[in-house]
Amino acid sequence: MTEIIATLGPIGTDSHRQAEQLGATVSLHETFHAAVEHAKMHETKLLVPAGFREKRAGEQYSWVDFHFENLGVVELEKVWFEETMPMVLLHKSYESIAIHPSTSSLVLELKKYKHIKHTRSKIQAYQLFKQGVASAVIASTCMTSKESDHEYIKAQFNPTMVWCLYKIKSSKP
């Protein structure tokens, strides 16, 4: 039977890339909550970056919250670190920024932006930038355009991420 790992999507995210490298079938989900629920329901593995953060019911929700809320339900199986895909801050103005909550700490001037649009992935954030909905974004360099985006690069990042692979404790006797 093929092992399944639930994690955050869409295709092309750091989470997707890490899960694929583990050699399992990857089940991608729009939200972290959906990935957790899928893993619990189907008793699959779950891959979570320790830097994970999202807004849930207007409140910040992070890896720490997940880990402690699920004591007794999930078991940490493996932990490792690896660099994320290189990232850039593309900046046209301080009007608005589309950003995944996990990368917010990289933008030292975040409070200067009039509008902050939190997205579910760097991919979604970059799409908003390309559509003109946001005037700034943090995106992985593999999704940016060297020709059209180069002049807007304000900063570059090569962070290391800690990855946590969990297994769901079986509910079966």
Side-chain angles (χ1 to χ4, degrees), residues 26-138:
V26 181
S27 177
L28 296 173
H29 300 272
E30 282 192 30
T31 66
F32 177 68
H33 182 71
V36 171
E37 291 306 308
H38 179 273
K40 287 178 180 177
M41 181 181 296
H42 301 284
E43 293 187 359
T44 69
K45 304 274 174 112
L46 176 67
L47 180 63
V48 184
F52 164 75
R53 290 195 291 195
E54 72 180 12
K55 293 277 187 178
R56 188 176 295 171
E59 298 291 321
Q60 188 78 272
Y61 186 82
S62 70
W63 171 83
V64 173
D65 300 314
F66 157 76
H67 184 78
F68 289 140
E69 281 180 7
N70 289 284
L71 290 174
V73 177
V74 298
E75 184 177 332
L76 194 54
E77 183 175 280
K78 180 179 179 182
V79 176
W80 69 98
F81 66 93
E82 191 167 321
E83 285 186 356
T84 64
M85 292 180 273
M87 297 177 230
V88 289
L89 169 60
L90 300 176
H91 172 88
K92 294 179 182 177
S93 74
Y94 287 104
E95 181 60 32
S96 61
I97 186 168
I99 192 165
H100 186 278
S102 295
T103 60
S104 295
S105 298
L106 294 173
V107 184
L108 301 178
E109 300 176 328
L110 189 62
K111 292 184 180 185
K112 285 188 176 183
Y113 289 93
K114 286 185 196 176
H115 304 283
I116 301 170
K117 168 68 176 159
H118 288 103
T119 62
R120 293 184 173 154
S121 68
K122 290 180 287 185
I123 294 169
Q124 183 186 27
Y126 182 68
Q127 290 169 344
L128 294 175
F129 177 78
K130 290 308 284 182
Q131 295 165 0
V133 175
S135 61
V137 67
I138 286 192

Side-chain angles (χ1 to χ4, degrees), residues 2-5 17-26:
T2 304
E3 189 172 70
I4 298 172
I5 297 175
R17 184 177 64 132
Q18 288 295 316
E20 273 194 327
Q21 288 178 3
L22 295 172
T25 299
V26 181

Side-chain angles (χ1 to χ4, degrees), residues 95 145 147 163 170:
E95 181 60 32
S145 166
E147 294 79 33
W163 296 93
S170 180

